[in-house]
Amino acid sequence: MAIRVLSIVGARPNFMKIAPFARALAGLSPRVEHRLVHTGQHYDAALSDAFFDGLRIPHPDTDLGIGSGTHAEQVGRTMMALERELEEHRPDWVVVVGDVNATLAAAVTARKLQLRVAHIEAGLRSFDMTMPEEINRLVTDRLSNRLFTTDAMACGNLRAEGAPEEAIRLVGNVMIDTLDAELPRAAALDPADVVAAHRHPEAADRPPTPLPEEGFGVITLHRPSNVDDAAILEPLVDYLVEEASEVLPLVWSLHPRTVKMLKTFALWPRIAACPRLLLTRPMGYHEMLSLNRVARVILTDSGGMQEECCVLGTPCVTMRWNTERPVTLVEHGGTNRLAGNDPARIRAAMADALTAGRRPFRPPLWDGRAAERIARDLAAG
Ligand code: UD1
């Protein structure tokens, strides 16, 4: 009888992780049957549909359509809808990825139905309980029967928490599977065209600024800890407008949450008027990768970008005080520097990053085959 796998995705960072896994499972068909469920946490075409199409992810078998809301609303609605879905299908494995609200909701719902849960990207810890994602990681790992990790430090975190040894599998990084598979398509894009095609509609009254010969940096910023508090966001905007963009032009790919908060705090007109900030709407995976390949520096608070920068060699300044991905840090051979949200530290880290230049680094097993290892492991029963 076929092994039946049901996997759950909800938000943008899940999509690049599920793409290679879905392909690896398809390669094991008919021995393995795969059902894909989208919770609908991210529903904007730019945050969702573009990724399914661009990354050749099979169309979800179900979309729970849960949409936006508070964390409790998102998790609660997902659990209610997923309970029906899981009761109906009762798969052999429920697979969850990453650390978003869908991950948590699915792990809890599946375990309560006595279904086996496998977590892809287990064991990452920021040790920062103010991050919603850290709570999601802890609960998900505690409930998972199989823990697929990206690196030895993640395995160490799980062991320190008492996870059973037989549940832990060091398999590598599915994000890097996707990066390796998609890099040729990204490399065929011209970064200047990408920026021009994604100019933010509300910054479009400004004449387009071409990408200069001297190079450019990229900003992504969306964590509640950076954007939800004016006392933090305003000094960051001051720094980006008055200083960082003077050092080199910066393409800023704006998450909907960030746009909303910039407007709430009346900061939007300042960034819209800054000629060396090139504002864009969220872009697709290949588009962002085409910028990352050649950017001189990336300023980000994203998790996945830290890993992509590490493998591509792009100097990365992480605007957070901690990271759940320490394997990407300069002290471990990567390109990543932690700078928090203090402009003085970001300034120093950016200067350091710009002198360091590009230095690609691949941790062990970040070789493009992680999803195959996971699929084979689950197919074994
Ligand atoms: C979520 C993840 C985060 C991930 C991020 C990447 C959790 C806890 N957080 O955060 O780990 O790094 O996605 O994108 O799951 N919105 C839209 N369109 C959408 C989705 C959201 O406009 O398709 C707006 C809504 O106003 C919403 C806000 O963005 O309130 C935030 O969305 P939400 O899904 O709550 O969390 P993210 O900040 O995107």
Side-chain angles (χ1 to χ4, degrees):
M1 231 192 22
I3 300 273
R4 289 173 312 123
V5 175
L6 185 149
S7 47
I8 291 128
V9 293
R12 178 171 59 180
N14 288 165
F15 305 140
M16 323 46 153
K17 294 170 193 163
I18 214 70
F21 178 62
R23 271 199 295 282
L25 289 181
L28 297 178
S29 167
R31 209 148 54 84
V32 177
E33 283 171 17
H34 185 208
R35 184 171 175 84
L36 181 61
V37 175
H38 188 345
T39 69
Q41 176 177 342
H42 281 180
Y43 46 88
D44 276 3
L47 292 186
S48 184
D49 300 355
F51 286 81
F52 275 82
D53 298 344
L55 297 175
R56 294 162 285 141
I57 304 171
H59 202 71
D61 296 286
T62 316
D63 187 330
L64 307 178
I66 63 122
S68 293
T70 67
H71 284 260
E73 284 165 351
Q74 285 186 345
V75 171
R77 285 203 293 262
T78 305
M79 288 178 69
M80 287 161 71
L82 208 51
E83 187 175 49
R84 288 189 290 275
E85 169 75 20
L86 293 176
E87 270 179 331
E88 187 183 335
H89 295 282
R90 296 209 69 91
D92 298 300
W93 283 105
V94 176
V95 175
V96 298
V97 293
D99 56 16
V100 302
N101 287 334
T103 316
L104 167 80
V108 174
T109 311
R111 266 321 278 267
K112 289 207 172 190
L113 293 170
Q114 311 299 322
L115 296 167
R116 288 189 299 174
V117 178
H119 183 203
I120 297 180
E121 205 180 70
L124 299 186
R125 296 290 180 269
S126 65
F127 303 101
D128 174 359
M129 291 294 277
T130 66
M131 276 182 87
E133 293 83 357
E134 183 73 355
I135 297 168
N136 295 347
R137 291 179 200 118
L138 280 164
V139 175
T140 302
D141 285 342
R142 184 67 186 81
L143 296 178
S144 293
N145 305 78
R146 192 84 27 110
L147 298 156
F148 293 112
T149 67
T150 50
D151 62 77
M153 282 186 260
C155 296
N157 292 333
L158 292 169
R159 290 184 184 117
E161 290 168 10
E165 192 59 39
E166 62 274 16
I168 303 172
R169 304 277 195 281
L170 172 54
V171 290
N173 193 333
V174 287
M175 285 281 278
I176 306 307
D177 295 6
T178 295
L179 186 143
D180 283 346
E182 304 301 331
L183 203 54
R185 266 179 72 194
L189 299 174
D190 179 343
D193 294 343
V194 167
V195 173
H198 290 81
R199 294 191 71 218
H200 199 281
E202 291 168 80
D205 51 342
R206 217 168 63 186
T209 317
L211 287 182
E213 293 293 311
E214 89 218 52
F216 62 92
V218 174
I219 309 171
T220 83
L221 190 67
H222 75 283
R223 298 233 162 256
S225 56
N226 282 333
V227 305
D228 283 8
D229 180 353
I232 289 170
L233 188 57
E234 189 164 3
L236 281 179
V237 165
D238 288 342
Y239 168 71
L240 294 171
V241 168
E242 288 160 22
E243 286 190 55
S245 62
E246 290 296 316
V247 177
L248 82 172
L250 296 168
V251 178
W252 188 346
S253 170
L254 286 150
H255 188 283
R257 171 194 283 280
T258 309
V259 172
K260 189 166 77 184
M261 298 320 294
L262 285 164
K263 289 182 178 166
T264 303
F265 302 141
L267 296 168
W268 179 264
R270 297 204 45 215
I271 69 161
C274 176
R276 282 167 68 89
L277 282 178
L278 313 179
L279 306 183
T280 74
R281 41 194 180 82
M283 49 186 83
Y285 179 79
H286 300 90
E287 284 77 8
M288 182 50 85
L289 201 55
S290 78
L291 302 187
N292 194 340
R293 274 184 71 241
V294 295
R296 289 183 55 206
V297 63
I298 288 195
L299 305 176
T300 188
D301 60 6
S302 146
M305 297 269 302
Q306 298 172 45
E307 297 177 340
E308 289 160 349
C309 286
C310 180
V311 167
L312 292 170
T314 316
C316 177
V317 175
T318 295
M319 294 185 282
R320 287 173 44 191
W321 297 107
N322 48 56
T323 178
E324 61 289 333
R325 294 167 162 90
V327 73
T328 63
L329 292 172
V330 170
E331 51 266 41
H332 295 294
T335 61
N336 187 16
R337 294 153 182 83
L338 288 182
N341 46 32
D342 168 12
R345 294 179 69 135
I346 301 171
R347 179 186 304 121
M350 187 163 150
D352 185 42
L354 285 170
T355 50
R358 303 186 66 88
R359 269 202 250 141
F361 169 68
R362 273 182 195 252
L365 295 179
W366 290 25
D367 59 358
R369 325 250 343 226
E372 286 172 33
R373 292 185 193 101
I374 297 169
R376 277 202 307 270
D377 186 85
L378 294 177

